[in-house]
Amino acid sequence: MSINNQKPNRIEKTKKDDPLDILEKAVGRTVLVRLRNGLDYVGILEMVNKDMDIVLRDCVELDKYTSQPVRRYGRLVVRGNNVEFVDVDYKG
């Protein structure tokens, strides 16, 4: 407790800190998605839902070691619990 029996200040989570909100703002942009198994995909973020399932279009799978394209997909659906991270500022 702080002086005068007031509760200590807590950092309030704002809407801008919400990962889902950040992903929703990135729809239409090129993103990099790394899966928990280490695979990387680059594509245009087409959709994301509340479970953070992701749909990429014009998607490319990148080689783990060289980051060179390995496979191309027209559209790829990734289940949210398989995602390690999403780079919404990907420049490639």
Side-chain angles (χ1 to χ4, degrees):
M1 288 268 176
S2 62
I3 300 174
N4 300 330
N5 292 329
Q6 295 176 355
K7 292 183 180 179
N9 290 336
R10 294 209 167 121
I11 297 173
E12 296 294 323
K13 187 173 182 180
T14 62
K15 187 74 172 162
K16 69 178 182 178
D17 295 326
D18 182 22
L20 183 57
D21 199 43
I22 292 168
L23 286 174
E24 287 173 343
K25 288 179 183 174
V27 169
R29 294 172 54 188
T30 300
V31 298
L32 178 136
V33 177
R34 173 158 302 153
L35 303 187
R36 292 176 21 193
N37 65 6
L39 293 176
D40 287 344
Y41 295 94
V42 173
I44 299 169
L45 183 60
E46 192 169 85
M47 190 215 81
V48 61
N49 67 11
K50 66 178 180 60
D51 297 317
M52 291 200 190
D53 300 329
I54 292 173
V55 178
L56 299 176
R57 69 178 153 87
D58 301 328
C59 183
V60 177
E61 180 182 329
L62 301 179
D63 182 89
K64 241 180 186 178
Y65 305 103
T66 66
S67 295
Q68 296 300 310
V70 176
R71 289 183 192 85
R72 296 191 183 280
Y73 302 93
R75 184 169 284 140
L76 183 75
V77 179
V78 180
R79 188 173 168 155
N81 66 342
N82 290 319
V83 175
E84 185 175 325
F85 71 82
V86 178
D87 181 355
V88 296
D89 295 320
Y90 182 74
K91 302 294 184 223

